[in-house]
Amino acid sequence: MATSSTATASLHLLLPASRRRLLIPRAAHSDSTPPPATGVDRRRFIAHTAAAAAVAPLVLPHWTPAARADDAPALSEWERVFLPIDPGVVLLDIAFVPDDPSHGFLLGTRQTILETKDGGNTWFPRSIPSAEDEDFNYRFNSVSFKGKEGWIIGKPAILLHTSDAGESWERIPLSAQLPGNMVYIKATGEQSAEMVTDEGAIYVTSNRGYNWKAAVQETVSATLNRTVSSGISGASYYTGTFNTVNRSPDGRYVAVSSRGNFYLTWEPGQVRAVARRIQNMGWRADGGLWLLVRGGGLFLSKGTGITEDFEEVQVQSRGFGILDVGYRSQDEAWAAGGSGVLLKTTNGGKSWVRDKAADNIAANLYSVKFLDDSRGFVLGNDGVLLRYLG
């Protein structure tokens, strides 16, 4: 595998900125009716009361049964799509063929590959013989299309390629020297793609994945380990791998360490690691950054591009962590998180309103993806998939 010194690395430190009771009516008499006496008077009173009961309807207090799960209100702008998979599957990525918006693929844990040909209304399992190894239980992490060309990566290391919009898939052999596990892939052109590993290595190919060239001088992990070995105080703070990676349309990357203690930014010519307690990061539609901290905090960068200057935005997350943000347009975006948290903004993220109907979803929502302004999906655990209705 070839390497090239197309980027340099440097480190920058940023200090962390009801019970309801059922009432049973009791028999009563009006104040104008004297209480019954004994003997004949009592018998007459009982006979009179029985006759009245025969002609008067029995009135009970109004009671409404508790709502069942099936009676839960529908999501205002989303619908749940039920999938033919095991409940324990975590959905990880989704992509559609640009030349055929109705044709897409959905990935997840436990060797899950689903296919749709009606825009995501219904899904069916897709069998790819070269990806069905009895000795491995693949976790398919990322899928991407450019024209009819598509890529799928997974863990343990597996790379699949198609040149006919997913009608057939070919398994591409990978070098055993590949540093780390592949976590993200982006189709960039004919027979071309960018691929990122959890050690911060970024590679590019232009021949269907048979050869890869390093887009950074060395992996971020290698840079950090070398810095630690040099004896610089505090450098070990930056050790670890990356579990979330987001790419901007113009090719800049932001990645969050698996320990949640720093994030990495990469653009041609520069790599930076910044210390901060963090859950996830990504790109806004206007080119700025959003940042999530553990516990439900949401921050937006000031201005656009890569920066270390963020300001917090108040959100109603009910105490659950927000896990991802997806922008439908520069003004409208959705945030998703633990225990069915679903939030919406219509002013670019300055204020957020919770979609309370989503509170009935018993799942963590991990990923929000908008393919364009009319197509969007939310991916969660236990096979939960939400489709945007608008």
Side-chain angles (χ1 to χ4, degrees):
M1 184 177 296
T3 62
S4 65
S5 57
T6 57
T8 58
S10 59
L11 300 178
H12 300 268
L13 179 65
L14 175 66
L15 294 179
S18 75
R19 287 176 56 182
R20 168 182 289 179
R21 292 182 298 173
L22 180 61
L23 301 179
I24 303 176
R26 293 183 295 178
H29 59 271
S30 68
D31 294 338
S32 61
T33 304
T38 59
V40 176
D41 289 339
R42 180 182 294 275
R43 288 193 297 271
R44 287 177 179 175
F45 175 80
I46 294 175
H48 174 75
T49 303
V55 298
L58 178 63
V59 179
L60 293 175
H62 178 70
W63 176 69
T64 302
R68 300 175 302 171
D70 295 343
D71 300 326
L75 297 174
S76 58
E77 298 180 65
W78 300 82
E79 70 171 359
R80 180 171 179 182
V81 180
F82 290 90
L83 305 174
I85 55 178
D86 295 334
V89 170
V90 178
L91 302 177
L92 298 174
D93 201 10
I94 188 171
F96 283 74
V97 180
D99 297 342
D100 183 4
S102 63
H103 187 196
F105 290 83
L106 178 63
L107 308 183
T109 58
R110 302 184 185 179
Q111 298 195 169
T112 298
I113 300 179
L114 300 179
E115 186 175 8
T116 181
K117 294 191 174 181
D118 60 6
N121 294 320
T122 58
W123 297 81
F124 54 90
R126 174 60 190 269
S127 175
I128 301 177
S130 60
E132 297 174 354
D133 193 320
E134 295 181 358
D135 295 331
F136 296 103
N137 188 2
Y138 289 109
R139 171 192 177 100
F140 293 110
N141 290 321
S142 182
V143 56
S144 179
F145 280 92
K146 180 78 170 182
K148 292 185 178 181
E149 196 144 10
W151 307 80
I152 292 177
I153 60 170
K155 177 184 177 181
I158 184 172
L159 174 64
L160 304 174
H161 174 263
T162 179
S163 56
D164 56 9
E167 295 301 322
S168 63
W169 292 86
E170 174 189 12
R171 183 166 180 173
I172 307 297
L174 290 166
S175 170
Q177 298 178 350
L178 181 71
N181 299 301
M182 296 178 293
V183 294
Y184 179 84
I185 194 163
K186 173 68 176 180
T188 56
E190 184 177 357
Q191 299 187 1
S192 301
E194 291 179 1
M195 180 258 291
V196 184
T197 74
D198 61 358
E199 290 191 5
I202 303 176
Y203 293 98
V204 296
T205 183
S206 57
N207 62 352
R208 293 174 47 189
Y210 284 96
N211 296 102
W212 295 86
K213 182 175 67 174
V216 294
Q217 182 177 6
E218 59 185 357
T219 70
V220 174
S221 291
T223 301
L224 299 176
N225 290 335
R226 177 167 49 79
T227 305
V228 172
S229 300
S230 67
I232 297 177
S233 176
S236 61
Y237 186 85
Y238 294 96
T239 59
T241 59
F242 301 93
N243 58 0
T244 63
V245 176
N246 281 291
R247 183 185 188 274
S248 70
D250 60 358
R252 293 173 295 172
Y253 283 91
V254 60
V256 178
S257 76
S258 57
R259 293 167 57 186
N261 60 343
F262 73 95
Y263 67 89
L264 165 83
T265 60
W266 178 90
E267 55 187 334
Q270 188 173 46
V271 178
R272 293 187 294 178
V274 181
R276 189 156 189 158
R277 292 293 177 182
I278 185 173
Q279 175 72 43
N280 196 4
M281 287 184 72
W283 300 93
R284 303 196 306 261
D286 64 0
L289 289 165
W290 53 261
L291 182 152
L292 304 174
V293 298
R294 299 184 179 184
L298 170 61
F299 293 76
L300 300 178
S301 66
K302 297 180 180 180
T304 60
I306 295 175
T307 179
E308 299 175 15
D309 192 5
F310 289 82
E311 58 184 357
E312 186 172 9
V313 178
Q314 297 299 319
V315 294
Q316 303 176 27
S317 63
R318 300 185 297 142
F320 295 99
I322 302 175
L323 303 176
D324 196 25
V325 176
Y327 275 76
R328 177 175 170 266
S329 65
Q330 287 200 17
D331 294 324
E332 182 180 329
W334 291 81
S339 193
V341 168
L342 197 58
L343 307 164
K344 178 184 180 182
T345 180
T346 56
N347 56 13
K350 297 177 182 178
S351 61
W352 297 79
V353 177
R354 192 172 94 243
D355 189 334
K356 297 183 180 180
D359 295 349
N360 296 283
I361 300 175
N364 294 326
L365 305 178
Y366 290 114
S367 179
V368 182
K369 292 184 176 293
F370 279 96
L371 310 174
D372 51 45
D373 60 2
S374 62
R375 296 183 300 157
F377 294 87
V378 176
L379 285 61
N381 67 338
D382 282 337
V384 170
L385 177 68
L386 307 181
R387 187 173 72 94
Y388 181 71
L389 299 176

